[in-house]
Amino acid sequence: MSTKRYLITPGPTPIPPEVAAAAAAPMQHHRSPEFRALLLETLVLLQRVFATENDVLLFTGSGTAAMESAVANLLSPGDRVVVASAGNFGERWVKLIGAYGIEPVLVEQPWGESLDPGRIAAAVAEAGTAAVFVTHSETSTGVVHDIEAIAAAVAPTGALLVVDAVSSLGGVELATDAWGVDVVVSGSQKALMSPPGLAFASVSKRARERAEHASLPRYYLDWKRSADSQVKGDTAFTPAVSIVVALRTALDIILDRGPANVWEHNRRLARGARAGVKGLGLGLFSPDDDSAAMVTALLMPEGVDGQECYTVLRDRHGIVLAGGHGPLRGKIMRIGHMGYMNEFDIVTALAGLEMALVELGHTPPVPGGGVAGATALFAAEPVPADG
Ligand code: PMP
């Protein structure tokens, strides 16, 4: 018998049984009338989740493909661009833009801090800035940056704003049109609780116009080719048909439940996770407030290596959490709470953490304290009848 597994990471996330069943449906041809209709419906549902009337372009690829599409379609050699970064995924923008031969101006803050809209606006205000690239949910630290404030600060400069919402879209509020975000990129495997393999980019009219003149090379990720196909219910290339079918089901679930209810669900799970981390006698690396709705990052106690803890949890208990990236490797562990998760995922993560810590020689101050902290919070904040 295979080991029972618990996937409690910030992506890929568990998928609901209906979504898994949809992914397993018999294959259909992507140029069939049935698939065209399904694709068009899916794109409309995506617009609702993106809170935009702009086209949402769909690519077969992981979230980074949509990030790369933004760079390749918006920029020309020699452009001045700004990247605001306070974590691993902010740094991904820097590397990606660098791979296209452009060295961005970096507005950097220590990992774990919130991006400062004023500092970003000051850097962007320099003459001729074409675009600014930021991250919404910085999955490596648990910080969800204030895109509304960043958009408001950048707006007067006229630069295009590009937001990586790979680990936030659908899980926390992102009012693309109302906040004036030009490009939002995301992926299927996190808060959208679908299998990995689809990437999305919502593109404003201004961004589309910029793309018409931008001269970096692109082919597979060309926005115009995708948009021209999508209006006809087509895709430029063979899409991951099964994942589109699965995503359609997942989007129905999310929209039936109501995005605001989903956001509150995630905040509640995060509150439980934080109460549990404190109950284990551990410190938080991610912010100790409702903004940290997608990922809780906890500090490893003195003398315990986070990677070892990760391995013990995975190999002895079948529980998959996430470790730390870059400078945080070994120092933190991350619990994801997005997509198809509930309070028992959080309780499982905390119970497993306590067991792994004990096995690694660190006994938390109160036996069962992590589970008790989370359970007390969940009991005190019961799920609403329709929630
Ligand atoms: N940006 C963020 C904020 C992410 O969390 C991730 C995935 N962890 C990515 C980008 C990259 O996405 P993918 O692995 O799907 O390419």
Side-chain angles (χ1 to χ4, degrees), residues 62-64 67 89 92 135 137 139 164 166-167 189-190:
S62 78
T64 306
M67 294 173 74
F89 292 102
R92 181 157 303 180
T135 314
S137 161
T139 324
D164 165 2
V166 172
S167 74
Q189 78 276 24
K190 294 178 184 257

Side-chain angles (χ1 to χ4, degrees), residues 13 17 74 126 169 173 178 240 301 315 368:
T13 59
L74 288 176
E126 292 290 311
L169 186 88
E173 184 174 22
D315 295 348

Side-chain angles (χ1 to χ4, degrees), residues 80-87 90 94 104-110 115-124 132-134:
R80 181 191 148 87
V81 304
V82 171
V83 172
S85 169
V94 176
V105 174
L106 185 56
V107 179
E108 203 173 13
Q109 284 175 235
L115 292 174
D116 176 347
R119 281 191 57 203
I120 298 172
V124 176
V132 51
F133 295 81
V134 298

Side-chain angles (χ1 to χ4, degrees), residues 47-324:
Q47 281 177 312
R48 287 176 56 196
V49 174
F50 272 77
T52 187
E53 291 186 358
N54 297 327
D55 282 346
V56 178
L57 304 176
L58 179 146
F59 300 96
T60 291
S62 78
T64 306
M67 294 173 74
E68 180 152 351
S69 83
V71 172
N73 283 273
L74 288 176
L75 302 183
S76 301
D79 270 353
R80 181 191 148 87
V81 304
V82 171
V83 172
S85 169
N88 182 61
F89 292 102
E91 291 185 3
R92 181 157 303 180
W93 279 128
V94 176
K95 292 178 192 151
L96 186 39
I97 292 166
Y100 280 86
I102 295 174
E103 198 186 321
V105 174
L106 185 56
V107 179
E108 203 173 13
Q109 284 175 235
W111 288 35
E113 281 191 8
S114 266
L115 292 174
D116 176 347
R119 281 191 57 203
I120 298 172
V124 176
E126 292 290 311
T129 302
V132 51
F133 295 81
V134 298
T135 314
H136 190 196
S137 161
E138 178 47 82
T139 324
S140 63
T141 65
V143 172
V144 175
H145 296 299
D146 187 346
I147 298 301
E148 184 175 14
I150 293 170
V154 167
T157 70
L160 293 170
L161 177 61
V162 182
V163 174
D164 165 2
V166 172
S167 74
S168 60
L169 186 88
V172 288
E173 184 174 22
L174 175 51
T176 301
D177 287 358
W179 296 349
V181 182
D182 290 288
V183 177
V184 171
V185 298
S186 195
S188 51
Q189 78 276 24
K190 294 178 184 257
L192 301 186
M193 53 188 197
S194 298
L198 292 179
F200 319 106
S202 81
V203 181
S204 70
K205 186 163 172 286
R206 264 176 9 127
R208 233 179 31 231
E209 286 164 4
R210 175 75 60 80
E212 278 167 25
H213 306 288
S215 62
L216 283 183
R218 67 252 188 184
Y219 183 76
Y220 185 73
L221 298 173
D222 187 70
W223 282 350
K224 184 166 185 328
R225 183 178 287 110
S226 289
D228 289 350
S229 298
Q230 282 189 196
V231 282
K232 298 177 277 172
D234 246 332
T235 49
F237 310 103
T238 312
V241 169
S242 304
I243 309 178
V244 178
V245 176
L247 176 71
R248 164 69 217 261
T249 301
L251 293 173
D252 273 339
I253 296 172
I254 291 167
L255 290 165
D256 280 352
R257 197 165 178 202
N261 291 330
V262 174
W263 306 334
E264 175 50 23
H265 172 77
N266 293 339
R267 287 194 293 264
R268 178 172 176 273
L269 295 188
R271 288 195 286 274
R274 291 198 297 275
V277 168
K278 290 175 196 168
L280 281 171
L282 301 178
L284 286 164
F285 181 77
S286 49
D288 189 4
D289 60 53
D290 263 355
S291 72
M294 310 307 282
V295 177
T296 296
L298 53 96
L299 290 160
M300 282 287 106
E302 202 53 45
V304 183
D305 178 66
Q307 289 311 111
E308 253 184 88
C309 187
Y310 167 85
T311 308
V312 167
L313 273 167
R314 186 192 62 193
D315 295 348
R316 290 203 206 137
H317 304 295
I319 298 174
V320 186
L321 303 186

